[in-house]
Amino acid sequence: MNLTNTAVMFKRWTKIVILILGVYYGWMFFGGPGLRSLVKLFYVTKEPANPIYGNLDALEFTNKEVSGDQVYKLNTANGRLPGKFPFKMNVYKFKPKTFSYLAGDTALKDGKYMGYADTDLITDLKGTVYRWRKADTNSFLEIDINSRRLHADSDMVRNSARMQKGRLDEKYAIESALNFFKGVERTDTIYQTGVQKVTFGYIGGTRLFQTTAQRDILFARVDLYRKMDDYMILGPDPKVGLLNIFVAVPKNERSFIIEHPKVSAYYRELETKTQASYPIIDISTAWDAVMNGKGVITSVVPANTSIFDKQAVPVVSEILVDNIYLAYYENTKDQTYLQPIYVFGAKYKSLGSQGGDMVIYLPAVSGEYVKPIPQAAPAPAVTQ
């Protein structure tokens, strides 16, 4: 091989090596965080966020207690963080509460709709919370006339003989739930078109158990969720809808309390149109925050248990995050704006048990657009 051929071969292999390295490093950069950074820079420049509400209030989450030293690990199908997330999200405003002189009358009307007469009242009409009780069903109803929170409960074990077994299906349960909340005016279009989660159950001894066997079904629990921009609106516990109700079929009577033995409703109207949008933190930043313990555990469900069981505090050793998505968060406290959050679904390992499922929340709005959390005032010095 002469010198000319050697030079040609050298140039050819040099080009091949450069091409291979270019493809490799291009993929490493453009296929990973580098691509997200470049696209984000282009997107933010072309379509910037519109934070017209100014800095938002910091979100308050309800922490579920666990013990032990937790280690977070990524356990997605491909072992990587998902990449298809927006760089900004809309923020919506809750409609302000309005004072009504008829709030008390409305609560009395709701009570009658649910089977409670004025003679069942156990509070006077001077306060802001009305309560009813019925001895024959060992049932209780409470309505806050200002916030319109509603909570009803009854002794399902005692009343189980008045319910029919095997008569419920998912369609009936959902329709019954939606019709009830429509009847007490605690629903809207985005609830009607939202997500309904149905959990069937039966009563054994003094406990409520989950079941999927049609012949054993005695009642259904229906949790209702709204959606905004195709994102779920979640409450303090993602497993519990802010509107939820139990549905049963009475045997030989028309009894609202037997048909709906448990009800819980927290409802705030939302303005469904907005011009406001806020930048959200990158998924890699969110994941780093969770791994450093800055996320809030909002749901813990041990294996082989259901929503009907009281949960003990588990000793958690390892948290395997297998699902990450964006949602909106609605607190049960006064909240001015509906804001986005990151939701981390996980399996956890627990010492001495089979582990279970877990959900972690993390605020998604970029920190420079969130008001700082007020610091508690230091205790005054004690002088002798």
Side-chain angles (χ1 to χ4, degrees):
M1 182 179 292
N2 58 36
L3 189 59
T4 301
N5 290 336
T6 302
V8 170
M9 291 294 295
F10 178 77
K11 289 180 180 179
R12 181 179 299 169
W13 280 106
T14 299
K15 290 179 181 179
I16 292 173
V17 170
I18 291 173
L19 178 62
I20 293 172
L21 291 176
V23 170
Y24 173 77
Y25 286 108
W27 170 253
M28 291 294 291
F29 180 78
F30 291 104
L35 176 60
R36 289 199 296 267
S37 298
L38 286 178
V39 173
K40 182 174 182 179
L41 179 62
F42 173 78
Y43 186 87
V44 169
T45 302
K46 185 179 179 181
E47 298 183 35
N50 188 29
I52 57 176
Y53 296 143
N55 283 11
L56 305 173
D57 293 329
L59 295 176
E60 295 182 49
F61 301 133
T62 302
N63 182 61
K64 291 292 177 69
E65 185 179 357
V66 299
S67 60
D69 296 323
Q70 295 88 45
V71 176
Y72 289 86
K73 293 185 178 179
L74 192 62
N75 193 43
T76 55
N78 61 4
R80 298 179 182 177
L81 292 170
K84 295 183 179 180
F85 285 112
F87 302 113
K88 64 176 181 177
M89 283 184 67
N90 291 338
V91 169
Y92 294 87
K93 195 171 186 178
F94 286 96
K95 292 184 179 180
K97 296 178 181 178
T98 56
F99 175 78
S100 172
Y101 289 103
L102 299 177
D105 293 338
T106 301
L108 293 174
K109 182 185 74 173
D110 290 342
K112 290 178 181 178
Y113 181 77
M114 298 178 65
Y116 292 86
D118 293 347
T119 54
D120 297 320
L121 274 167
I122 57 175
T123 56
D124 58 36
L125 304 181
K126 297 178 181 178
T128 60
V129 177
Y130 292 2
R131 297 185 179 91
W132 296 257
R133 187 178 295 281
K134 291 180 73 70
D136 62 328
T137 51
N138 194 20
S139 57
F140 174 82
L141 171 64
E142 178 179 285
I143 298 177
D144 185 319
I145 67 172
N146 289 337
S147 69
R148 303 188 69 224
R149 290 188 190 215
L150 184 155
H151 177 75
D153 200 2
S154 67
D155 188 341
M156 291 183 63
V157 174
R158 172 177 163 179
N159 297 324
S160 61
R162 300 166 68 175
M163 305 173 185
Q164 293 192 57
K165 184 179 288 187
R167 291 292 303 278
L168 279 171
D169 59 26
E170 185 173 278
K171 181 180 178 182
Y172 178 90
I174 291 173
E175 287 180 352
S176 182
L178 293 174
N179 287 337
F180 166 75
F181 288 114
K182 185 177 181 180
V184 294
E185 298 180 348
R186 285 169 174 81
T187 187
D188 51 32
T189 302
I190 53 177
Y191 261 123
Q192 298 287 328
T193 59
V195 176
Q196 301 88 30
K197 182 180 70 175
V198 180
T199 308
F200 294 110
Y202 70 96
I203 295 173
T206 60
R207 291 181 55 195
L208 276 59
F209 294 90
Q210 185 172 340
T211 184
T212 56
Q214 178 65 36
R215 66 180 182 276
D216 295 331
I217 294 173
L218 191 65
F219 63 87
R221 175 187 169 121
V222 184
D223 290 89
L224 304 181
Y225 299 85
R226 291 187 278 194
K227 293 181 74 175
M228 193 69 82
D229 300 331
D230 290 330
Y231 296 101
M232 290 276 287
I233 300 178
L234 301 176
D237 185 336
K239 303 297 184 181
V240 177
L242 292 176
L243 300 183
N244 62 78
I245 188 170
F246 282 60
V247 177
V249 178
K251 274 187 178 178
N252 304 312
E253 59 185 313
R254 287 187 60 84
S255 171
F256 191 93
I257 295 170
I258 301 302
E259 186 177 359
H260 296 300
K262 297 179 186 289
V263 184
S264 181
Y266 175 83
Y267 174 65
R268 290 281 308 278
E269 285 189 271
L270 271 167
E271 295 180 358
T272 56
K273 294 183 179 180
T274 184
Q275 298 297 320
S277 61
Y278 283 72
I280 64 172
I281 59 177
D282 185 76
I283 180 58
S284 58
T285 303
W287 174 238
D288 287 342
V290 168
M291 284 196 299
N292 288 315
K294 295 180 180 179
V296 177
I297 297 171
T298 57
S299 175
V300 180
V301 181
N304 302 318
T305 66
S306 76
I307 196 170
F308 307 125
D309 298 317
K310 291 183 178 179
Q311 311 295 355
V313 178
V315 180
V316 176
S317 59
E318 194 172 53
I319 299 173
L320 306 173
V321 174
D322 52 21
N323 187 23
I324 306 172
Y325 58 95
L326 284 163
Y328 282 104
Y329 179 66
E330 180 177 359
N331 202 346
T332 51
K333 299 180 179 179
D334 285 342
Q335 186 175 333
T336 306
Y337 302 107
L338 184 73
Q339 301 181 39
I341 59 171
Y342 276 105
V343 183
F344 295 80
K347 300 286 189 298
Y348 71 87
K349 295 182 179 180
S350 180
L351 300 175
S353 77
Q354 299 180 40
D357 296 321
M358 178 181 287
V359 178
I360 301 105
Y361 284 174
L362 185 79
V365 173
S366 190
E368 64 267 31
Y369 294 97
V370 178
K371 297 176 184 176
I373 299 174
Q375 298 294 322
V382 177
T383 58
Q384 300 291 338

